[in-house]
Amino acid sequence: MLWETLRLAVRTIRRNVLRSFLTVLGVVIGVAAVIAMLTVGQGSSQQVSASVQSLGSNVLVLRPGKRTMGPPTQGETTRAFTLRDADALAELPVVAAVAPSTSASVTAVAGNANLTTTVTGTTAGYVPVGGWTMAIGRNFSETEGRSGVLYCIIGETVREKLFGRADPVGQSIRVKGLSCEVIGLLSPKGATSFGRDQDDTILMPIRAVQRRMTGNDDVGSISLTLAEGVSSASAQREIAALMRERRRIAEGQDDNFSITDMKEIASMLTGINAVLTGLLSSVAAVSLLVGGIGIMNIMLVSVTERTREIGIRLAIGAQSGQVLMQFLIEAVVLSVLGGVIGIATGLAMAYVAAQVMAIPFTPQIGVVLLAFGFSALVGVVFGYFPARRAARLDPIEALRHQ
Amino acid sequence: MATASLSGAAPPVIELRDITRRYGSGEAEVVALGGVSLTIRQGEFVAIMGPSGSGKSTAMNIIGLLDRPTSGHYLFQGHEVGQLDQDQRALLRRHYLGFIFQGFNLLPRTTALENVELPLVYKAVPGPERIERARAALARVGLAGREGHDPSQLSGGQQQRVAIARALAGSPTVILADEPTGNLDTQRSHEIMQLLTRLNRDEGLTIVMVTHEEHMAHYASRLVVFVDGTVQSDGPVQGENLHVAKGG
Ligand SMILES: Nc1ncnc2c1ncn2[C@@H]1O[C@H](COP(=O)(O)OP(=O)(O)O)[C@@H](O)[C@H]1O
Ligand SMILES: [Mg+2]
């Protein structure tokens, strides 16, 4: 009997394909939206955790200026760091490695190719602290890093733009008019959660950048990794104490620099990502409800249109439960059909979005099953009322209906 | 008459005892049936006549277990069935009754075969056997070869034959027909009546039929005349009886 009812439902639906499709359009849109949201959300959270990994563990970043949430206060000059600050930090037992850096926006040229990028003047510590690895060539040596020698390490994007697939090591590029020998290529990291391409970078020894490009001895920021087993909080206290002393900050005055634990940023990003995904998915889920109401509406119309059919079935010996099942199953089949179309559409949308946003495409079987189950549930919930109306019809009245 | 004497000996299938059916209440109360008693035996072909509004359809609905009497007793094959609930009555209809309506009442956009299969679906007859029996029923009403036709592709007479096949398919004890020829021309009406007569005579089917045409009543073996919700006369289809029917 159940099989018969299913067959009947499919036949009734196929009898009017366009109307059936319009009936379930709401469910299609709702399910597609939920699937797309959750899939993209999952992809971007993988992206976030990948970039957390790429930050390396236990990385702190020091920047001049107060830690403020709002716009910077007027009339306040912030003193930059110096290389000596970095050296002093490196002396601390809690600090494992230090990478001071200063950066400048430059045009890099090789042959006919050129691009505008950022050059970061830094030391040999930058590669390990930043969690980079060398794809080809080598890192600066300690002495090269602290010298003014014109060596470059380039990121994958710079390589691609200037050299294509060719090996750049040993070639020279012109950075701000200076000829600079490429000694290494960084392994690609991809974009950050904010969409910044981390591979669009050139590294040079810090003194070379200071003398020839920025024209001062300033160090814009200092990244450092902590020694094994050191707690971030106590290390931050020690580092803050040292920097306050070096920058001569009187007791009771605020710090004029900030220390950021990259892990905090990462967990904040993950949090924002989760909240956004949840929010958008619930909006999408509401549209699924609207889709359910659409099904209920058309099923009610259908019951009215088919009153005579119901009367015939009742006269022939259908029990009210069987009539109820007939309409309920029809609603569920419709809704599940909408769900399946929605799942396919949602996955396609998520795939396109993943390509555009350059995040991984991560379809999840759990989400797909959930959407499937949910659309069946929508069919049951919103199909029940019309089905009950059909089941409660009086056979004589129904037969008399025109 | 051979048939009459034979049916006199057969066991009763339908026994109405002082059945009333009232609609509404107080001022607006309508008494559709005012105490009807009627016994129909196995193998009878009964015609019911009477003026419009005399309660014929109401009586048929109660006999057909589509409706319940306000008071009185209804015994079907010896069992009290007057006050059974919806689902119990549905089961009895499914197993013992076949309906033929004035307006045919076939499912639209559904083939003749599928229409005839319908009662078998509710009797949970498995697929292949169901198709077999539905085909056989269509053949019995002379519609072999029309299995795949849609009601809209069939003439009125053919549609009514499909409806008869559907009523037959479930192997009922009683066929109930409320003005089965009301929507047909004279020629088709006679064909349908000949078909019903054959089913009654050759297969022993009990038939109760409402009609307002004397010609059609002549096919039956017994005539019951309703007037104002009561049985005015009951007997062979001739003489006094027919006069009452015509007078009403
Ligand atoms: N559902 C109903 N509600 C109220 N009155 C009804 C209803 N059905 C039938 N009647 C009344 O009952 C009487 C008998 O009707 P019916 O059995 O249809 O007559 P017939 O079939 O002999 O023409 C009529 O007066 C009719 O108006
Ligand atoms: Mg009538």
Side-chain angles (χ1 to χ4, degrees), chain B residues 192-209:
Chain B
I192 291 296
M193 292 317 300
Q194 280 154 13
L195 177 59
L196 289 178
T197 309
R198 204 172 66 235
L199 291 169
N200 169 254
R201 197 183 52 221
D202 300 349
E203 310 189 17
L205 257 179
T206 309
I207 300 176
V208 184
M209 172 187 77

Side-chain angles (χ1 to χ4, degrees), chain A residues 173-221:
Chain A
I173 56 177
R174 295 186 74 78
V175 180
K176 251 200 169 172
L178 300 165
S179 178
C180 168
E181 187 190 330
V182 178
I183 62 163
L185 172 71
L186 297 166
S187 301
K189 268 191 182 183
T192 64
S193 314
F194 299 112
R196 187 174 62 80
D197 179 6
Q198 301 178 88
D199 302 321
D200 186 7
T201 186
I202 297 176
L203 307 182
M204 285 179 76
I206 188 159
R207 282 205 200 283
V209 175
Q210 285 175 333
R211 282 184 205 147
R212 311 219 187 202
M213 295 180 198
T214 61
N216 57 45
D217 285 346
D218 293 352
V219 168
S221 71

Side-chain angles (χ1 to χ4, degrees), chain B residues 39-183:
Chain B
T39 300
I40 296 171
R41 292 174 185 277
Q42 184 82 55
E44 275 194 290
F45 186 169
V46 180
I48 296 177
M49 292 186 79
S52 175
S54 59
K56 306 181 294 292
S57 293
T58 304
M60 285 295 270
N61 287 339
I62 288 172
I63 292 172
L65 291 163
L66 292 168
D67 193 13
R68 289 197 291 201
T70 308
S71 72
H73 295 280
Y74 175 14
L75 282 78
F76 187 84
Q77 295 188 332
H79 302 281
E80 174 69 58
V81 294
Q83 298 305 322
L84 295 180
D85 68 24
Q86 276 272 18
D87 282 348
Q88 291 170 316
R89 283 184 282 132
L91 282 179
L92 288 178
R93 292 197 296 272
R94 183 187 300 178
H95 291 286
Y96 300 106
L97 301 176
F99 292 88
I100 303 169
F101 307 95
Q102 178 176 358
F104 319 139
N105 274 338
L106 298 176
L107 294 188
R109 287 180 291 177
T110 304
T111 64
L113 188 71
E114 285 166 341
N115 263 293
V116 176
E117 275 184 61
L118 206 56
L120 301 174
V121 170
Y122 287 108
K123 285 182 104 170
V125 174
E129 183 191 338
R130 194 171 70 216
I131 292 171
E132 198 47 50
R133 284 172 63 176
R135 278 179 185 284
L138 277 172
R140 276 161 77 188
V141 300
L143 283 180
R146 306 280 173 149
E147 289 85 356
H149 284 55
D150 217 84
S152 61
Q153 299 170 306
L154 298 170
S155 70
Q158 287 172 325
Q159 288 188 50
Q160 194 60 302
R161 283 167 187 272
V162 174
I164 293 171
R166 180 178 66 190
L168 290 175
S171 314
T173 314
V174 180
I175 295 268
L176 299 170
D178 195 345
E179 304 200 25
T181 59
N183 283 7

Side-chain angles (χ1 to χ4, degrees), chain B residues 174-234:
Chain B
V174 180
I175 295 268
L176 299 170
D178 195 345
E179 304 200 25
T181 59
N183 283 7
L184 299 176
D185 62 38
T186 313
Q187 172 72 20
R188 305 297 147 226
S189 296
H190 282 290
E191 284 170 18
I192 291 296
M193 292 317 300
Q194 280 154 13
L195 177 59
L196 289 178
T197 309
R198 204 172 66 235
L199 291 169
N200 169 254
R201 197 183 52 221
D202 300 349
E203 310 189 17
L205 257 179
T206 309
I207 300 176
V208 184
M209 172 187 77
V210 171
T211 183
H212 57 257
E213 290 166 280
E214 194 191 319
H215 294 304
M216 305 307 146
H218 275 290
Y219 286 94
S221 51
R222 174 179 165 196
L223 176 63
V224 177
V225 181
F226 274 64
V227 175
D228 285 341
T230 55
V231 175
Q232 185 77 17
S233 73
D234 183 354

